[in-house]
Amino acid sequence: LNAKRNLIDINLDVSILDRKSISVGLASLVLSALSFGPVSITTHMHDRYLVASLAFSLLFIILFVAAIGFFKLTNAKNKLISICLLLVILVNGYLVFEKTNTTYFSRLNLQNFLSQNFQNVAKKWPEKSQVVVLWSKGDFVTPTGGYNHWSTWYLKFISGRDDIIGLVGPQSSISRLPFVKKYKDHDSEYWELRGKRSSRIRMKGLEKDRPTFVYQIDEKGNFSLYDGVVFMLEKPVFIQAGKSLLEAEPYSPAKQRRNTFIWPYPKYDPSTTKNESGATQNAPKAQTAHFEKQSDTKYLYRHDPEAKQRLWIHRIEHATDSGETLKASLKVSSTKKMSLSASLARHDTNEPYEGTARQIVLEPGVETLIEVAHTFQQPRKNLKVQLDIKECDGDTAELDIRQINVATAK
């Protein structure tokens, strides 16, 4: 009889243990579903990052309070421990909310700003338009990273237009022309190799046949539409706001409108000058992805550590003979310490690379004479003097680049 009673007690204990395990397991699944659910069905920041954590915290508090009542804790010591635990949970929840506020709510500045400004203009866009939003400075943090798919769905959400595509990001994220053959959220066109790893290209994903609108947010926080945008193709073109690339006009600096955005991609202006050796040369673009021209010799450099290259290029139309040695020289000074690669090379893009590069370190405020020589093995028509910034002590620097000369080495 005692043996039977012991066996019943053991089975009862196992049964209770199983029920407890099942209850804990089911509770864990429910809480996991409540936490993971919002993340799996929405990309909206509020739902994804706030609702899940707050819902979980509130549910935990409710269950905790219910558990206190269920177990009817009459022992004063147990009550005190329970109250202390509840206070810890409440304080922790407050700290989590504050951390979330400082981390994520700053990202809503851009969303609130664009939502207000898009209320009226979005209704005026033609069907299947494409929209670009750019800024150079300000307290805006883009939630899109400058990527085409995030930018497009972000703009669709804010504007209420499902037919548009677009790009949202700072000007410093631009590193190439933005056009693709056909827009897709994901495609091999949006990827490149950086070293040995694949990297997604920012600010790329516009189509050539869509009406284009480029907006700017200036340093004072003013929102406005550019009259048009210039793309430095082989023959530079101007696209009026609301027109497509297929409707572009030939670009002339003399006819440039005041409120025109020059897409900062390292191409060149068609104006030419003569250098000291008599060779015809194309002047560097007034604005590129990383260098913004301030005067004839001064540039504002913006450092982007994620960019594959940060180029300043000076193109020269100079016919060379086989075996001819040329030497390029220029004087460069910077307000920040930086390291760079200076090169003299061919600029025929359909020909194998040929040139020489030197590694240079610039000290702040010290003018440095840079000389690079190369013996060209093949005849060349187009050459370039190029600076590729490797490292910079700071986000921006002012450079002075003068006395650029390419001549036959003596």
Side-chain angles (χ1 to χ4, degrees):
L1 183 61
N2 289 334
K4 288 183 178 180
R5 287 178 178 175
N6 291 335
L7 182 60
I8 292 174
D9 290 340
I10 293 173
N11 290 334
L12 184 60
D13 290 341
V14 171
S15 178
I16 293 173
L17 181 62
D18 289 341
R19 286 200 298 271
K20 287 183 178 180
S21 300
I22 293 172
S23 299
V24 171
L26 289 176
S28 299
L29 288 174
V30 171
L31 294 179
S32 298
L34 289 173
S35 300
F36 180 72
V39 179
S40 63
I41 63 175
T42 182
T43 58
H44 187 232
M45 198 204 75
H46 274 122
D47 298 339
R48 190 165 191 169
Y49 297 107
L50 299 182
V51 172
S53 59
L54 290 178
F56 180 84
S57 299
L58 290 174
L59 182 61
F60 187 86
I61 292 172
I62 293 172
L63 292 176
F64 188 83
V65 173
I68 293 176
F70 178 78
F71 289 110
K72 297 179 180 179
L73 300 178
T74 55
N75 185 287
K77 182 179 179 181
N78 291 340
K79 282 185 176 181
L80 180 61
I81 293 174
S82 300
I83 292 173
C84 290
L85 288 174
L86 184 58
L87 289 175
V88 169
I89 293 171
L90 291 174
V91 171
N92 182 68
Y94 173 77
L95 295 176
V96 168
F97 178 79
E98 284 297 309
K99 179 64 175 177
T100 303
N101 182 52
T102 56
T103 303
Y104 294 110
F105 273 83
S106 61
R107 298 177 181 269
L108 292 178
N109 291 338
L110 180 63
Q111 179 171 322
N112 295 333
F113 182 86
L114 292 180
S115 296
Q116 294 173 3
N117 286 280
F118 277 172
Q119 286 180 358
N120 297 322
V121 298
K123 300 176 183 178
K124 301 177 182 179
W125 296 333
E127 186 178 355
K128 293 186 177 181
S129 294
Q130 54 191 8
V131 178
V132 181
V133 180
L134 299 168
W135 62 91
S136 57
K137 295 182 180 179
D139 298 327
F140 296 114
V141 179
T142 173
T144 69
Y147 300 124
N148 65 297
H149 56 318
W150 289 351
S151 295
T152 291
W153 288 98
Y154 184 72
L155 288 170
K156 287 181 177 182
F157 171 75
I158 291 176
S159 65
R161 294 281 301 268
D162 291 332
D163 59 319
I164 65 171
I165 62 174
L167 298 170
V168 179
Q171 293 182 23
S172 59
S173 294
I174 298 175
S175 63
R176 66 205 64 225
L177 291 173
F179 299 107
V180 294
K181 295 178 181 178
K182 185 68 177 177
Y183 178 85
K184 297 178 182 178
D185 282 346
H186 305 281
D187 194 74
S188 58
E189 281 190 273
Y190 302 113
W191 292 88
E192 65 177 354
L193 282 176
R194 291 186 180 178
K196 295 184 178 180
R197 67 183 183 90
S198 295
S199 179
R200 187 150 188 151
I201 301 171
R202 303 172 190 269
M203 303 303 287
K204 181 176 182 178
L206 301 184
E207 294 183 350
K208 296 180 179 181
D209 59 349
R210 285 181 179 249
T212 304
F213 297 88
V214 180
Y215 293 89
Q216 67 165 328
I217 305 173
D218 65 20
E219 297 179 6
K220 297 180 180 180
N222 299 316
F223 182 80
S224 61
L225 172 68
Y226 281 107
D227 293 333
V229 57
V230 174
F231 291 103
M232 291 296 179
L233 310 179
E234 289 189 18
K235 293 184 178 180
V237 296
F238 170 80
I239 302 178
Q240 185 178 349
K243 301 292 185 180
S244 70
L245 182 64
L246 301 181
E247 302 171 285
E249 308 168 4
Y251 168 66
S252 171
K255 298 181 180 180
Q256 179 174 320
R257 302 187 185 187
R258 183 178 180 183
N259 189 28
T260 298
F261 179 70
I262 298 179
W263 193 263
Y265 177 76
K267 294 286 183 181
Y268 312 102
D269 285 338
S271 57
T272 60
T273 59
K274 295 283 185 178
N275 72 0
E276 296 176 15
S277 66
T280 303
Q281 58 184 14
N282 282 56
K285 257 179 53 57
Q287 185 173 331
T288 67
H290 304 285
F291 290 85
E292 181 179 341
K293 192 169 185 178
Q294 307 291 309
S295 68
D296 288 342
T297 64
K298 296 185 182 299
Y299 297 83
L300 176 62
Y301 170 72
R302 294 186 177 90
H303 189 67
D304 180 6
E306 295 185 3
K308 184 178 180 180
Q309 291 180 305
R310 309 163 193 89
L311 301 178
W312 175 92
I313 303 176
H314 190 80
R315 180 183 175 187
I316 300 170
E317 295 177 3
H318 181 100
T320 64
D321 297 326
S322 299
E324 182 178 0
T325 300
L326 296 180
K327 182 174 73 172
S329 64
L330 64 161
K331 292 183 178 180
V332 183
S333 62
S334 170
T335 56
K336 301 287 180 64
K337 182 177 181 179
M338 59 172 55
S339 61
L340 57 88
S341 172
S343 60
L344 170 64
R346 67 99 182 98
H347 196 57
D348 303 304
T349 55
N350 58 342
E351 295 289 336
Y353 178 81
E354 184 181 2
T356 297
R358 287 185 58 198
Q359 303 304 311
I360 305 293
V361 176
L362 299 179
E363 296 293 340
V366 179
E367 186 175 68
T368 302
L369 174 62
I370 300 175
E371 295 181 324
V372 186
H374 182 76
T375 301
F376 289 89
Q377 303 302 317
Q378 300 294 332
R380 301 294 179 190
K381 293 182 179 180
N382 298 301
L383 307 176
K384 65 179 177 180
V385 178
Q386 176 176 292
L387 302 179
D388 184 4
I389 309 300
K390 301 300 183 181
E391 296 180 355
C392 178
D393 288 352
D395 295 331
T396 61
E398 294 180 4
L399 277 78
D400 188 284
I401 306 174
R402 61 178 67 237
Q403 296 183 20
I404 309 161
N405 180 44
V406 176
T408 302
K410 297 179 181 179

